[in-house]
Amino acid sequence: MALWGGRFKEKASVQFKKFNDSLPVDYRMAVQDIVGSMAWAEAIHEVGVLNDDELVRLTAALNELKQSVEENPKQILASDAEDIHSWVEIQLIEKTGDLGKKLHTGRSRNDQVATDLKLWCKETGGELLIALVNLQQAMMNLAEREKGTVLPGYTHLQRAQPVTFGHWCLAYVEMFNRDIGRLKDAIYRLDVSPLGSGALAGTAYPIDRNALAHRLGFRKATMNSLDAVSDRDHVIELLSAASISMMHLSRFAEDLIFYNSGEAGFVEMSDLVSSGSSLMPQKKNPDACELIRGKAGRVFGSLTGMLTTMKALALAYNKDMQEDKEGLFDAMETWLECMEMAVLVADGLKVNRSRTLAAAQQGYANATELADYLVGKDIPFREAHHIVGEVVLAAIDKGVPLEDLTLTQLQTFSEKIEHDVYQHLSIESTLDKREALGGTSRAQVEKALATTQSGNEEILNEQVVGAPGKQQIKVALKQVQQRLNAQRAAAMSVRRARMPDVDAIFELVNFWAEKGEILPRSRDNIIHDIQNFVVAELDGKVVGCASLYIYQTGLAEIRSVVVDKSAHNNGQGQALVQYLLEFAHQIELEKVIVLTYIPNYFNQLGFSLIDKSSLADNIIEDSQPGPDKDPADEVAMEYNVDPSK
């Protein structure tokens, strides 16, 4: 059954119907279409199209249909409906009769499909964001595990200078961090609702489109109906983010394929991500990495296809845009699958440390150190470069590394070379000298990772810290972990609070305040402090909140950490705290405190106990325990935002 037909004298041919129908692809948006239909039913009820009884009946039927689809989505494919919108409407008419025909009042399949697709993109984008954070964490774990492992660095696929394996890992952490930023930007921009835009000119009914958008979990409604129904920028942005990220994954895979080769022998892949040969029993092939590398082209193709589809489309909707989904669905699934496979690869990777060290010691990778040594002896770099080139040539002729040349042999090239030269030619010296920000010194790379992508340009240009001792590395790792925690918090839909959140925060805070768990807050107080709050969302509903109260320069307190009962044990509480800790880092606070009855909870988040009496009187006065709490049970805890201080 088609939703159009009155204009036509003949039925469409079977061949055209098969060519035209999109149900085999867009059936995956069934839940989104039903959710959008429920929101639309409420919207047209508010303007008098549906009465109370009709709204109840339609909503009940849609909920029943939603549950059925969630249990068995493939049932849809047995239908000969044109698309998912037709299928939902047909099912609704079967359940409610003529009432089902009223639901489409004031809307078009144009704004309907745009809304469905954006809802799907929001949900899928959240899953991809979590996968990216997990991938970052896997690379961080590998970096920490191999932070002392020496690895030859390459340019032009020739051994160049020694680095550490951890440094290599953290290069990909940086790439994946940019991928996270791109994905978050794309999700933010697509978070506007087209519903109520009609076919192209808007709906004729006085719908409150912003209220409708909020009901669906969007930030706001679109501003132009013509753009809203013809916009597929969000599809292109997601495909672009996926393509760039897949390019990073492909480079990651290529590196490991080379490192895993018999010629290099630097790493061995886990059996969990390898396969063998049907003919050669000795073979162990890095198929997971090869497939990641191969699937990158598949994702690139989807982006190219979508750009080509959209490049010359006149406004507004055209049937060409039906091609927006198949490539998108496949690309997002491929990207997700490749990220999950890359985590398996990283988790199971075994590094041959003796082989990587031996390789780093070959190829005269310490030649630059000898040149820098001569520069330190007041020889201009260009002259030092020439001298070292001659030294390397002599070492090659003799078949020995630079450090095996005798002092007498070295002094034939420059009389300024002395006994202290040998301490500059060791692998350890080569690595330790790279202590400027961004160098191969582990602490420096990890500290660079702790900076945010925005607002820290000046720090990146100016910051140089000391040589990497154990404490320095520990500090840097904590800062990187802090950033990863914040990324995970963002992936769990933790965000800065906005004015429309005031009522939800007020309800949450005072529910738990009545139980004596936290201090109560007035609605006016929450409005005044809204800029200090963050909230956690589930399915577009605020289910948790927390605030950061700044007492003085460098010191703040986390307050009002509460989560709705329905969302307990989902990690929202930790995500709220981690988000605030990252914010504290961004604004360069030194310490964050908390007064709590559950120290074990905050201990897991990196807080440590401190003497409560060491806190200023005004802090203690601001935290009066509830009537059901013993003041002696409340403890003070502290988190060092910058543990180097």
Side-chain angles (χ1 to χ4, degrees):
M1 170 186 167
L3 299 182
W4 46 271
R7 163 69 174 79
F8 295 82
K9 294 180 179 179
E10 297 181 66
K11 290 179 62 176
S13 70
V14 173
Q15 185 178 356
F16 172 75
K17 178 173 170 54
K18 183 178 179 182
F19 186 64
N20 180 66
D21 290 359
S22 61
L23 190 66
V25 174
D26 63 25
Y27 83 93
R28 296 174 53 168
M29 300 191 305
V31 170
Q32 287 79 17
D33 197 79
I34 295 167
V35 168
S37 293
M38 287 192 283
W40 186 250
E42 289 190 52
I44 59 177
H45 167 258
E46 289 170 352
V47 297
V49 173
L50 298 176
N51 61 38
D52 293 349
D53 178 65
E54 288 173 327
L55 175 63
V56 169
R57 287 168 57 201
L58 276 177
T59 302
L62 286 165
N63 271 315
E64 183 182 329
L65 186 58
K66 179 172 175 282
Q67 183 178 348
S68 174
V69 166
E70 288 171 340
E71 291 172 356
N72 179 22
K74 294 292 181 72
Q75 64 176 291
I76 301 168
L77 296 176
S79 168
D80 68 343
E82 180 180 351
D83 53 32
I84 191 57
H85 322 299
S86 308
W87 184 85
V88 170
E89 187 163 330
I90 291 166
Q91 301 302 309
L92 201 57
I93 291 170
E94 287 182 2
K95 290 177 180 294
T96 65
D98 286 345
L99 174 60
K101 299 177 182 178
K102 294 182 70 173
L103 181 60
H104 204 59
T105 304
R107 71 173 176 177
S108 163
R109 283 188 298 176
N110 293 358
D111 62 344
Q112 200 174 348
V113 70
T115 304
D116 291 356
L117 189 55
K118 281 194 170 182
L119 286 170
W120 185 91
C121 287
K122 278 187 64 176
E123 181 179 335
T124 303
E127 294 173 7
L128 292 164
L129 200 53
I130 291 172
L132 271 171
V133 173
N134 289 339
L135 179 55
Q136 262 198 324
Q137 184 66 63
M139 295 306 293
M140 272 302 305
N141 293 343
L142 184 58
E144 186 168 6
R145 194 174 84 214
E146 301 296 339
K147 61 191 175 189
T149 302
V150 179
L151 178 75
Y154 291 81
T155 61
H156 308 282
L157 271 182
Q158 305 293 311
R159 289 175 190 161
Q161 289 178 289
V163 294
T164 64
F165 202 92
H167 190 49
W168 174 85
C169 294
L170 292 168
Y172 286 100
V173 170
E174 283 294 294
M175 295 184 209
F176 299 143
N177 193 59
R178 294 193 294 273
D179 294 340
I180 287 172
R182 273 183 285 270
L183 180 57
K184 287 169 67 176
D185 287 347
I187 293 171
Y188 178 82
R189 271 187 291 277
L190 72 83
D191 195 18
V192 289
S193 172
L195 196 56
S197 297
L200 75 161
T203 182
Y205 294 84
I207 303 293
D208 184 339
R209 290 192 60 233
N210 275 320
L212 176 59
H214 295 153
R215 193 176 291 136
L216 284 167
F218 288 103
R219 279 190 298 117
K220 60 180 181 178
T222 52
M223 296 298 293
N224 183 283
S225 62
L226 197 61
D227 173 62
V229 297
S230 58
D231 168 38
R232 292 299 184 271
D233 286 5
H234 49 289
V235 174
I236 293 169
E237 280 200 77
L238 286 176
L239 288 171
S240 176
S243 295
I244 295 171
S245 185
M246 284 298 298
M247 176 267 291
H248 292 152
L249 282 164
S250 183
R251 296 183 73 182
F252 161 83
E254 171 64 17
D255 274 351
L256 288 181
I257 290 166
F258 169 62
Y259 291 165
N260 185 74
S261 68
E263 284 68 24
F266 298 162
V267 302
E268 181 182 351
M269 302 282 184
S270 163
D271 290 353
L272 298 176
V273 295
S274 305
S275 72
S277 165
S278 61
L279 176 64
M280 298 167 283
Q282 82 280 11
K283 294 291 294 298
K284 183 178 179 182
N285 300 324
D287 283 8
C289 285
E290 291 175 6
L291 283 167
I292 289 172
R293 186 176 60 183
K295 287 176 184 291
R298 181 168 162 179
V299 175
F300 299 170
S302 295
L303 172 61
T304 302
M306 192 62 204
L307 284 167
T308 306
T309 296
M310 296 298 296
K311 73 176 180 64
L313 286 188
L315 293 178
Y317 182 83
N318 296 271
K319 196 70 169 192
D320 313 47
M321 293 164 68
Q322 185 167 291
E323 291 298 305
D324 60 357
K325 288 173 279 297
E326 192 166 7
L328 175 68
F329 292 165
D330 181 74
M332 297 302 105
E333 282 184 352
T334 301
W335 184 19
L336 180 62
E337 187 178 23
C338 287
M339 286 191 284
E340 292 172 344
M341 189 54 57
V343 169
L344 274 179
V345 169
D347 286 348
L349 200 66
K350 181 180 179 182
V351 181
N352 186 339
R353 295 168 185 170
S354 60
R355 188 75 176 258
T356 58
L357 176 60
Q361 291 171 327
Q362 298 169 6
Y364 304 99
N366 52 359
T368 305
E369 310 314 311
L370 180 56
D372 288 341
Y373 170 82
L374 292 173
V375 169
K377 299 290 185 178
D378 295 325
I379 295 178
F381 179 77
R382 282 299 164 206
E383 184 179 340
H385 188 281
H386 181 77
I387 292 169
V388 174
E390 293 179 328
V391 175
V392 169
L393 191 60
I396 290 173
D397 288 342
K398 295 178 183 298
V400 297
L402 296 182
E403 59 268 31
D404 282 1
L405 293 173
T406 66
L407 182 61
T408 301
Q409 290 170 325
L410 288 170
Q411 286 178 333
T412 62
F413 299 96
S414 173
E415 60 184 18
K416 291 195 175 184
I417 298 177
E418 300 174 356
H419 280 287
D420 63 344
V421 71
Y422 293 102
Q423 69 190 53
H424 292 270
L425 297 180
S426 69
I427 288 289
E428 290 75 14
S429 173
T430 300
L431 293 174
D432 289 347
K433 283 183 178 179
R434 268 60 191 175
E435 61 185 34
L437 191 66
T440 193
S441 167
R442 292 177 298 275
Q444 297 309 317
V445 176
E446 292 161 347
K447 198 166 184 68
L449 284 169
T451 62
T452 58
Q453 292 188 75
S454 59
N456 286 315
E457 301 276 339
E458 190 173 333
I459 296 174
L460 288 173
N461 290 332
E462 296 177 356
Q463 182 182 17
V464 177
V465 299
K470 289 183 179 179
Q471 180 60 28
Q472 182 81 325
I473 293 170
K474 181 180 178 182
V475 166
L477 283 172
K478 180 177 179 181
Q479 290 174 324
V480 177
Q481 187 63 56
Q482 181 173 285
R483 185 182 71 174
L484 291 174
N485 288 340
Q487 299 282 25
R488 185 172 288 107
M492 294 185 72
S493 297
V494 174
R495 59 169 173 79
R496 301 298 300 275
R498 301 187 285 259
M499 288 306 295
D501 301 320
V502 167
D503 288 337
I505 294 171
F506 177 70
E507 185 177 335
L508 276 169
V509 167
N510 286 287
F511 174 84
W512 291 106
E514 288 175 5
K515 294 183 177 297
E517 298 295 330
I518 59 171
L519 290 176
R521 291 212 183 196
S522 68
R523 192 173 184 279
D524 286 345
N525 176 261
I526 293 171
I527 291 172
H528 178 75
D529 285 348
I530 193 68
Q531 73 276 7
N532 299 326
F533 273 91
V534 294
V535 296
E537 288 183 316
L538 275 179
D539 299 325
K541 177 186 175 184
V542 172
V543 296
C545 67
S547 69
L548 188 70
Y549 184 86
I550 299 175
Y551 282 105
Q552 61 190 48
T553 303
L555 178 66
E557 179 186 357
I558 289 180
R559 296 177 169 182
S560 303
V561 184
V562 290
V563 176
D564 188 85
K565 280 186 173 181
S566 65
H568 279 189
N569 302 317
N570 287 330
Q572 264 75 23
Q574 289 191 7
L576 286 161
V577 174
Q578 288 162 347
Y579 191 102
L580 288 176
L581 292 176
E582 172 60 13
F583 178 65
H585 174 76
Q586 289 176 19
I587 63 175
E588 299 185 20
L589 292 175
E590 293 179 13
K591 297 182 186 297
V592 173
I593 62 168
V594 64
L595 295 166
T596 181
Y597 295 97
I598 48 172
N600 290 339
Y601 181 83
F602 286 95
N603 184 59
Q604 294 172 3
L605 295 169
F607 286 77
S608 54
L609 288 169
I610 58 171
D611 185 356
K612 189 175 175 181
S613 64
S614 67
L615 299 176
D617 291 342
N618 64 314
I619 297 176
I620 302 299
E621 290 168 2
D622 282 349
S623 178
Q624 295 298 324
D628 299 328
K629 298 290 184 181
D630 185 345
D633 292 337
E634 185 182 60
V635 299
M637 303 187 77
E638 180 180 84
Y639 183 95
N640 287 327
V641 179
D642 185 352
S644 64
K645 294 184 178 179

